[in-house]
Amino acid sequence: MKKLTTALLALTAASALALSGCSSDRGGSGAEETGGEEAAAGFAADATIGVALPQKTSENWVLAEELFNDGLTEAGFKPIVQFANGGVSEQQNQIQAMIEQGAEVIVVGAIDGSQLGAQLEAAHDAGIQVIAYDRLVKNTEAVDLYVAFDNFKVGELQGEALLQGLAERKGAGPYNIELIAGSPDDANSTPFFEGAMSVLQPKIDDGTLTVVSGQTTMEQAATQGWKAENAQKRMDTILSGSYSGGTELHGVLSPNDTLARAALTSVSQAGLPTPVITGQDSEVESVKSIVAGEQYSTIYKDTRELVAESIRQVQLAQAGDEFEANDTESYDNGVKVVPAFLLDPVIVTQENAAEVYANDPTLGPLTEG
Ligand code: BGC
């Protein structure tokens, strides 16, 4: 039935184009109109919307589950929100099932951004629109929009915070640092790392910073599955190999809070002083640590905003409008530039925590007194 609708819509759209003799004037973003025919028609106000989330590797994903369920229900839709703790094949099966259950839009936070092509292409063939949520989906045409915080900017802010923290807490340089990167299968890990290195590399080149282990590439620094135990093990090895003879570790670039706390555990078990360390996600334990003067920084990516933006885009599609993008250049997924709607990440340190979290009911109180 859906196939038929899609075919009819395609016909209608084609004849509309033929009649007007020019391309569609919907949307001002200049974005490629993949899935545009479906967008022109909209769908039922109580449609099923699928949300495929990855594993619970950080608090933001857990929060997203509840926010999607509540927000989509409130907007009148029927949500199917699922985690894939079992890994990539579980996520593939879940997306397949969402197609069969008649979802009109599938929002996907990919575990492995390059392993969903077949499922998302099947979704497109069924007339379903696809939104990549937080993590880009790679090497497929079958993605219509990317909604995320600006990942490269996250990395830049982390690099800048590390330099600032070193100057504030470790006196004059030069400084010894180590680098941690995210999971290699997550499309975000590269922009996080490259953003940070765009700030740190010139300081490595001019001798201000030394990566004592010599592990400076993304491959060497990566943390499979974003798992704390993997980061902790690697840090243990680095500390015993490169810092056992009294060499001081001044700073660590960490891509998120979970891995920052893992690295801090490793350092404290080795009996070494706390290095300046970055993070991301504003997880409760890390915010407490920042307020207490241990972890140096985190990033605030308000999950409420990201989910609300995704739902707003679903509502546009429901009304038959085009998705809205504010960046049509940055996110090349290997086969096309995916139109993106990017939100601004915010750096948080002990100094501005109270101000940044003032409107967050969970984090705000952690900064008081
Ligand atoms: C998210 C980060 C998160 C990481 C691990 C990334 O894709 O953007 O916020 O820390 O996944 O869950």
Side-chain angles (χ1 to χ4, degrees):
M1 165 132 147
K2 177 151 243 160
K3 281 239 168 72
L4 183 62
T5 321
T6 308
L8 281 174
L9 289 176
L11 260 180
T12 318
S15 40
L17 278 182
L19 279 177
S20 68
C22 62
S23 62
S24 162
D25 62 357
R26 281 175 293 116
S29 65
E32 245 184 276
E33 290 187 23
T34 49
E37 304 94 302
E38 287 79 34
F43 48 80
D46 63 349
T48 298
I49 307 295
V51 182
L53 297 174
Q55 290 120 330
K56 299 181 183 180
T57 41
S58 44
E59 279 168 14
N60 50 336
W61 296 111
V62 180
L63 257 174
E65 177 191 30
E66 191 186 329
L67 291 165
F68 269 118
N69 269 320
D70 293 353
L72 286 169
T73 305
E74 215 166 281
F77 299 113
K78 293 187 203 76
I80 309 174
V81 185
Q82 289 175 322
F83 281 106
N85 287 310
V88 173
S89 57
E90 185 177 348
Q91 186 162 54
Q92 291 169 334
N93 293 338
Q94 287 171 339
I95 292 173
Q96 195 57 49
M98 288 169 187
I99 299 171
E100 281 151 26
Q101 287 167 71
E104 291 286 357
V105 178
I106 296 181
V107 178
V108 55
I111 295 174
D112 183 332
S114 53
Q115 298 285 331
L116 298 177
Q119 289 70 33
L120 298 181
E121 276 143 35
H124 253 203
D125 289 347
I128 299 167
Q129 297 180 76
V130 175
I131 299 177
Y133 172 85
D134 189 80
R135 298 175 172 180
L136 188 59
V137 178
K138 311 275 276 203
N139 302 324
T140 178
E141 287 279 348
V143 51
D144 303 295
L145 179 72
Y146 178 43
V147 178
F149 284 88
D150 185 336
N151 299 305
F152 192 86
K153 176 96 182 285
V154 167
E156 279 180 327
L157 291 171
Q158 291 170 332
E160 285 160 10
L162 182 59
L163 292 180
Q164 179 185 312
L166 287 167
E168 264 174 33
R169 294 191 178 171
K170 299 291 176 182
Y175 310 104
N176 297 328
I177 65 163
E178 293 300 330
L179 308 172
I180 303 174
S183 190
D185 51 6
D186 177 354
N188 285 355
S189 299
T190 302
F192 291 159
F193 192 74
E194 287 180 352
M197 291 310 274
S198 72
V199 176
L200 300 179
Q201 190 62 51
K203 298 293 177 186
I204 295 174
D205 294 343
D206 75 10
T208 307
L209 302 175
T210 303
V211 181
V212 179
S213 69
Q215 298 183 20
T216 53
T217 65
M218 164 90 196
E219 293 69 42
Q220 290 170 317
T223 309
Q224 190 61 48
W226 286 101
K227 287 205 171 112
E229 72 231 47
N230 292 340
Q232 193 173 330
K233 251 185 255 155
R234 175 168 168 266
M235 196 49 68
D236 289 346
T237 310
I238 287 176
L239 293 181
S240 61
S242 305
Y243 294 88
S244 54
T247 306
E248 200 180 330
L249 172 64
H250 301 110
V252 178
L253 172 77
S254 168
N256 82 356
D257 287 348
T258 304
L259 304 188
R261 296 196 304 277
L264 287 178
T265 303
S266 173
V267 170
S268 93
Q269 284 176 359
L272 299 173
T274 305
V276 170
I277 189 162
T278 60
Q280 167 175 209
D281 295 332
S282 295
E283 296 201 338
V284 167
E285 285 312 308
S286 284
V287 170
K288 287 184 190 164
S289 174
I290 288 170
V291 171
E294 292 153 8
Q295 185 173 323
Y296 181 73
S297 68
T298 185
I299 301 277
Y300 190 40
K301 302 193 301 186
D302 191 337
T303 306
R304 295 171 303 172
E305 265 183 56
L306 195 61
V307 170
E309 180 53 36
S310 307
I311 294 176
R312 189 181 73 86
Q313 299 276 358
V314 170
Q315 288 173 311
L316 288 177
Q318 190 279 319
D321 292 330
E322 182 107 344
F323 287 137
E324 270 176 30
N326 61 10
D327 179 311
T328 52
E329 282 168 14
S330 307
Y331 287 91
D332 189 331
N333 81 344
V335 297
K336 73 175 198 182
V337 176
V338 182
F341 195 97
L342 300 181
L343 305 179
D344 256 346
V346 179
I347 189 77
V348 186
T349 60
Q350 194 183 36
E351 206 190 313
N352 69 350
E355 190 190 321
V356 175
Y357 300 138
N359 296 321
D360 188 305
T362 308
L363 303 178
L366 302 179
T367 65
E368 286 157 15

